[in-house]
Amino acid sequence: MYSNSQGGKRAFILFLLFFIVQPTTGQVFQEELRLTLEKSTQESPAMLRGSRLLKLGEAYQFYAHRNFDPIWSAEGRLTELAYEFCFELRQSLYDGLQPATYHLALIDSYVATVEKREAAKESLVPKELAELELLMTDAFFALAEDLDLGLVNPERLAAKWSIPRKRKALEYDSLLTQAWRTAELRSQLALLYPKTPSYSKGKLLLRQLEERAKGKEINWKQIKTDRVLRPGESNATLLQVRERLAFWGYLEALGRTDAKIYDSLLVRQVLAFQEEKGIKADGILGYATLQALNESPAQLMDKIKVNLERMRWIPEHFFKGEAILVNVPSFELVYHKGADTLFTTKVIVGTIKHQTPVFTAPLSYLVFSPYWNIPPSIAKNETLPAIRKNANYLQRNNMEVVNTAGHPLPLSQVNWNAKPFPYLIRQKPGESNALGQVKFMFPNPNNVYLHDTPAKQLFDQDLRAFSHGCIRMAQPRVFAELLLKNSEGWTSEKVGLAMGQDKEKIVNLPYKIPVGIFYFTFWTEADGKPRFFVDIYKRDAEVLELLRR
C-alpha cells in the first residue's frame, strides 16, 4: 500500500498532467475547423448546413497554410473584421451582385446564435464557430472572384464576346490575410474593382436611385407617340412627359398653363433633361428623349447592374493605359491615355441584322484613299443583283471586277452567272467610296475596321446603327492627324493630300494601339455625369437574368 504522502504526490502529479495536456480553446477550434473542412470535401457537391460551398478547395488550402488558425474570431469571439465582412456582403448589392449568393442568411443565423450565447454568458460551441469560419471564408473567396472577374462568364452568352478573359488582379488568399493583419477589409476589396470612374459612380448611383424609388410613386406606363413632338404643339402625351420630368426633379415641368401644350417652360425643362442625359439638346421630343423618360428607377438600376458586371470583364489596361474604345450603344469613339481623353467622335455601327461584334485588336496601320473590297456576302445579296438589273451599275459607282491576283478584268470576260462568283468586286478610291478617304486597320477575324464615310448626314441621327458591322467615323481626318502627329513628315496638309488620291497608300503607325469594341448601356462622362444608352441589340436582359440566378 502507498503511504498518505505518496498518494498525495500522485494526485498532485495527475492534477498537473490534466492541465498540461488539456487542449486550449484555440486547439479545439483548429481541430473542429480541420474536421469541418475534411467532412465537407467528402460531399459532392460540397455542402454545409444545406448551403453549397463555392470555394472549398481555396478555403482548405488557405487554412492548411495557417495551421487552421481563425480569421474571423479570436479567443472564441467574433472580431470586428467578421462584422465588417457581414456589412460588405450586404453592400455587394450595390456592385450589382446578390448578397444571398454568399451564404448571407446562414451566416446571419450563425452570428445571431453566437451573439445570443455571448449575451447569456454561455460557452461558445467550437463546432459552430468553425462552421461559421468556413462559411465566411468561402463567401469571401467567392465574392472576391466575382468582384474581380465577374459572376457571369461572357464567353457563354448568346452574343459572341471575343475579349480575352482578364487575369486575377490579386491572389485572394493574400488579400484576406492582408485584411486580417490590417483589420481593414473594405480597402482590400476595393483593390478588385474595375479601374474606371464609371464603376464607383455606378455604385453610388444605385444607392441614389434606390432612395428615389422610395419616394413618390408614379405610373411608369410607356410613353408612346407616332411622331416627334415639337415646341408649340399640343398632345395628351405631354401630361406624362411633365409627370416624368417632375419625378426626376425638373419641377418647373409641371407648369401653370394647359398641360397638353408644349410651352416654353416645358421646353426649357426638356432641354435640361436632354443635356443631363447626353441626348442632343434640341428641345424636340424624339425617340431617344422619350426612351430616357420611359426608364423607371428600377429599370435604370438593372441597367447599371448589368454594366458594372460588364466592366468587370474588361482587361485593366483598357481603362488605365492608352487605348481606343468604341462603345456600340453610345455610337461613340474615345481615344484616351489613362485619365486624359485625347479624341472623341461620333460613330455609326452595325444594324440589328449586321451587328458590330465585341472584340479587341491592336490598331497597326492606316490606308489612305482605300479601295473597298466588297465582302462576298454583300456582293452576293446586293451588288450582283444590282448589276444584273443595271448594266451601268459598276461604272456609276466607280467599281471594277478583279481576279484573285488583284488584276482588273474586262467586263466582257466576267461570267456573271457563275456560282460561286469567282471574282472580287471592288470600289475604286474617291469621294463616293463607301469607306470614304481613309480607313484604320486593326486586323481581326471579324473583318471589322474604322473608316470614313461619304454619308455624313447620318451622324445627325440619335440612333446610328446603319452599317454592315464596320464602324464609320465622323472625324476621320482629325483622328488620322492625331495618330500620325509624331511620324516624321505627316503634316495636316500631307494627310489631306493622301486622302484625295486615286491610289491607296498604306501607312504603318509608330506603335500599335489597343482597340476595344465594347457594349455598355451605362457609362459616365469625363465630368462624372451618368449616361444611359438604348440597348440596341437587346443584350442586357440575358446578363441581368444570369446575375439574378
Side-chain angles (χ1 to χ4, degrees):
M1 294 183 66
Y2 291 104
S3 65
N4 288 337
S5 61
Q6 289 175 321
K9 287 180 180 178
R10 183 173 181 276
F12 180 69
I13 291 170
L14 290 173
F15 177 79
L16 289 176
L17 286 173
F18 174 80
F19 283 101
I20 291 172
V21 300
Q22 179 74 10
T24 64
T25 302
Q27 290 172 329
V28 172
F29 173 87
Q30 289 169 330
E31 183 64 10
E32 283 290 351
L33 180 58
R34 183 183 66 78
L35 291 173
T36 300
L37 282 161
E38 288 182 355
K39 180 181 178 182
S40 297
T41 59
Q42 294 169 6
E43 300 182 30
S44 182
M47 305 289 290
L48 181 58
R49 299 290 183 180
S51 188
R52 183 172 181 173
L53 296 173
L54 306 169
K55 299 294 175 183
L56 179 60
E58 291 90 329
Y60 202 150
Q61 187 177 30
F62 174 73
Y63 283 111
H65 287 162
R66 55 184 288 113
N67 196 31
F68 300 96
D69 281 340
I71 280 283
W72 310 106
S73 64
E75 299 179 356
R77 299 177 66 87
L78 293 180
T79 62
E80 285 300 317
L81 191 69
Y83 287 102
E84 184 183 357
F85 182 54
C86 290
F87 176 78
E88 291 300 329
L89 281 180
R90 287 177 167 77
Q91 298 310 296
S92 68
L93 180 68
Y94 303 107
D95 291 283
L97 302 172
Q98 297 287 335
T101 303
Y102 311 102
H103 319 304
L104 182 59
L106 190 53
I107 288 173
D108 281 345
S109 176
Y110 272 99
V111 170
T113 299
V114 169
E115 290 177 339
K116 184 177 180 180
R117 292 189 189 281
E118 288 179 344
K121 301 188 183 308
E122 298 176 0
S123 298
L124 299 181
V125 179
K127 181 177 176 59
E128 293 175 349
L129 276 177
E131 290 178 346
L132 176 57
E133 180 81 16
L134 174 54
L135 280 171
M136 294 185 75
T137 298
D138 185 73
F140 177 87
F141 285 145
L143 176 62
E145 182 177 81
D146 292 345
L147 288 175
D148 185 14
L149 305 178
L151 173 65
V152 176
N153 183 350
E155 295 172 358
R156 296 179 181 176
L157 297 174
K160 188 177 180 181
W161 180 275
S162 301
I163 298 177
R165 295 299 299 272
K166 63 186 280 191
R167 296 179 180 178
K168 291 167 62 173
L170 296 163
E171 293 300 326
Y172 309 139
D173 54 354
S174 300
L175 198 74
L176 180 53
T177 300
Q178 185 64 14
W180 173 68
R181 286 173 177 165
T182 61
E184 176 56 53
L185 187 67
R186 173 173 290 188
S187 61
Q188 296 300 312
L189 289 174
L191 296 174
L192 302 172
Y193 296 160
K195 305 302 185 289
T196 168
S198 292
Y199 192 84
S200 55
K201 180 65 178 179
K203 284 168 62 74
L204 176 61
L205 194 54
L206 276 177
R207 297 176 188 275
Q208 294 172 343
L209 287 169
E210 184 180 62
E211 288 300 314
R212 185 175 285 275
K214 295 176 183 177
K216 179 185 176 183
E217 292 187 7
I218 65 172
N219 185 347
W220 287 97
K221 182 180 179 181
Q222 294 286 290
I223 301 174
K224 295 181 179 179
T225 178
D226 57 358
R227 60 185 179 83
V228 299
L229 300 176
R230 302 177 185 278
E233 294 182 346
S234 176
N235 194 296
T237 299
L238 294 171
L239 294 171
Q240 290 174 279
V241 170
R242 291 179 186 277
E243 183 182 41
R244 301 286 169 86
L245 287 170
F247 176 87
W248 292 114
Y250 301 90
L251 300 178
E252 292 184 14
L254 293 175
R256 293 292 181 270
T257 61
D258 186 343
K260 297 179 182 180
I261 299 293
Y262 194 4
D263 57 28
S264 60
L265 190 61
L266 181 56
V267 171
R268 189 159 63 241
Q269 297 299 284
V270 168
L271 286 169
F273 179 80
Q274 290 174 326
E275 184 72 26
E276 179 69 24
K277 298 296 182 181
I279 301 169
K280 183 179 180 181
D282 54 10
I284 297 173
L285 289 167
Y287 177 84
T289 304
L290 292 178
Q291 182 73 16
L293 286 169
N294 275 330
E295 291 184 306
S296 68
Q299 290 172 313
L300 294 177
M301 290 170 69
D302 285 344
K303 186 167 280 193
I304 293 171
K305 291 174 183 178
V306 165
N307 288 281
L308 293 181
E309 174 70 4
R310 287 186 177 127
M311 292 176 206
R312 293 190 281 263
W313 302 339
I314 305 298
E316 187 175 292
H317 66 268
F318 280 101
F319 296 140
K320 295 182 66 177
E322 180 179 3
I324 297 163
L325 309 181
V326 175
N327 185 28
V328 173
S330 68
F331 309 104
E332 186 176 44
L333 176 149
V334 175
Y335 175 26
H336 73 89
K337 285 187 179 180
D340 298 326
T341 299
L342 306 180
F343 174 76
T344 181
T345 187
K346 294 179 179 180
V347 299
I348 291 168
V349 301
T351 62
I352 294 175
K353 182 179 179 181
H354 302 286
Q355 298 181 9
T356 297
V358 172
F359 69 99
T360 62
L363 178 67
S364 55
Y365 66 97
L366 285 65
V367 181
F368 288 111
S369 302
Y371 283 97
W372 178 38
N373 297 313
I374 300 176
S377 60
I378 298 178
K380 176 183 176 181
N381 298 321
E382 300 178 27
T383 312
L384 286 172
I387 293 171
R388 294 185 184 111
K389 289 181 179 179
N390 184 348
N392 295 321
Y393 182 86
L394 287 175
Q395 182 179 0
R396 192 175 73 237
N397 289 280
N398 198 27
M399 293 178 177
E400 61 185 0
V401 179
V402 298
N403 59 22
T404 54
H407 301 306
L409 295 175
L411 298 184
S412 59
Q413 296 182 12
V414 176
N415 179 5
W416 298 104
N417 296 314
K419 293 183 179 180
F421 193 67
Y423 317 106
L424 176 70
I425 302 175
R426 69 182 183 184
Q427 191 174 32
K428 301 174 187 178
E431 291 184 359
S432 63
N433 186 286
L435 304 185
Q437 296 176 306
V438 60
K439 64 179 180 178
F440 306 84
M441 302 302 293
F442 39 104
N444 60 85
N446 305 291
N447 196 28
V448 167
Y449 43 87
L450 297 162
H451 65 86
D452 183 17
T453 175
K456 303 292 187 184
Q457 73 281 0
L458 294 179
F459 291 106
D460 292 332
Q461 303 293 320
D462 288 331
L463 298 179
R464 297 186 291 275
F466 302 117
S467 82
H468 281 83
C470 281
I471 302 158
R472 309 174 194 172
M473 303 178 64
Q475 297 177 288
R477 176 169 177 172
V478 177
F479 189 49
E481 291 177 4
L482 178 61
L483 294 174
L484 296 176
K485 71 174 184 178
N486 294 322
S487 297
E488 186 175 353
W490 279 100
T491 62
S492 175
E493 290 75 16
K494 185 174 181 180
V495 168
L497 287 172
M499 291 176 67
Q501 302 301 308
D502 57 7
K503 290 184 179 180
E504 65 180 21
K505 181 177 180 62
I506 297 174
V507 180
N508 292 316
L509 294 179
Y511 60 92
K512 296 179 179 180
I513 304 171
V515 175
I517 312 299
F518 298 149
Y519 193 93
F520 291 110
T521 51
F522 162 78
W523 198 252
T524 57
E525 299 283 12
D527 60 4
K529 284 186 178 180
R531 295 274 307 279
F532 294 91
F533 310 110
V534 176
D535 180 16
I536 56 171
Y537 297 158
K538 307 300 180 187
R539 296 181 180 178
D540 283 1
E542 182 185 15
V543 179
L544 183 62
E545 181 183 353
L546 292 170
L547 285 173
R548 286 174 170 172
R549 286 183 181 176

